Amino acid sequence: MTARLMILNGPNLNLLGIREPEIYGSGTLDDIEELCAETAAKHALEIDFRQSNHEGDLVDWIQDARDGFAALIINPAAYTHTSIALHDALKTVSIPIIEVHISNPKEREAFRHQSYVGLVATHTIAGRGASGYAEAIEIAAKLI
Ligand code: DQA
């Protein structure tokens, strides 16, 4: 069976391309999904790519990743810095967890310096733009 990667995206990432392009670039989330699908295909991996503005959806999907997925890639967006619920859900997952940020939160406002997700992630990639997602898939491919 082809190994599958769960790729989750948090709030406001549906507005990539429109939202603060000077920080996040002009590409859309659809462009990122295409990049992920192409990168995964090179490693004979499949992706399940999802986005939600709702914390509970992300908790449910992290729980879904516990079954039938080889790795979890997540850009939790603003929930990175606030969500103990995502942190706790991620602690129940035994597959590799790769945290991705398009920008580098550690070089931005102080309130972005704390990551509750980073505390439980296997790897964190930040500040590499959309290509950070491709890097995350490359890392996942090595780990699984
Ligand atoms: C982000 C960084 C977060 O601080 C921010 O809230 C986002 C996007 C990133 O991809 O750079 O929404 O996760």
Side-chain angles (χ1 to χ4, degrees):
M1 216 177 76
T2 312
R4 284 196 304 162
L5 307 177
M6 178 77 92
I7 305 179
L8 300 181
N9 295 279
N12 301 305
L13 293 173
N14 54 314
L15 293 182
L16 285 177
I18 298 167
R19 175 193 182 204
E20 300 178 273
E22 66 288 357
I23 294 174
Y24 299 113
S26 56
T28 65
L29 193 62
D30 284 346
D31 296 333
I32 291 179
E33 181 170 2
E34 207 175 303
L35 171 68
C36 287
E38 281 167 12
T39 311
K42 282 186 203 150
H43 297 279
L45 297 167
E46 279 176 8
I47 62 163
D48 189 335
F49 191 95
R50 307 182 189 184
Q51 187 275 332
S52 178
N53 293 328
H54 305 281
E55 189 174 16
D57 286 344
L58 295 162
V59 169
D60 287 344
W61 293 342
I62 289 167
Q63 292 184 10
D64 288 349
R66 300 168 72 241
D67 258 334
F69 288 88
L72 170 62
I73 294 169
I74 182 165
N75 182 347
Y79 291 137
T80 308
H81 318 299
T82 62
S83 181
I84 296 168
L86 291 190
H87 173 95
D88 285 349
L90 289 165
K91 276 177 106 169
T92 73
V93 169
S94 52
I95 54 178
I97 298 165
I98 301 156
E99 176 190 21
V100 176
H101 298 284
I102 296 166
S103 67
N104 186 350
K106 298 240 173 349
E107 291 177 354
R108 298 178 62 191
E109 304 95 321
F111 63 81
R112 295 183 203 276
H113 294 182
Q114 168 73 46
S115 171
Y116 290 105
V117 169
L119 296 174
V120 287
T122 319
H123 278 274
T124 297
I125 296 169
R128 317 280 288 179
S131 64
Y133 283 77
E135 284 183 43
I137 292 172
E138 299 288 348
I139 290 169
K142 281 195 191 113
L143 291 175
I144 61 185

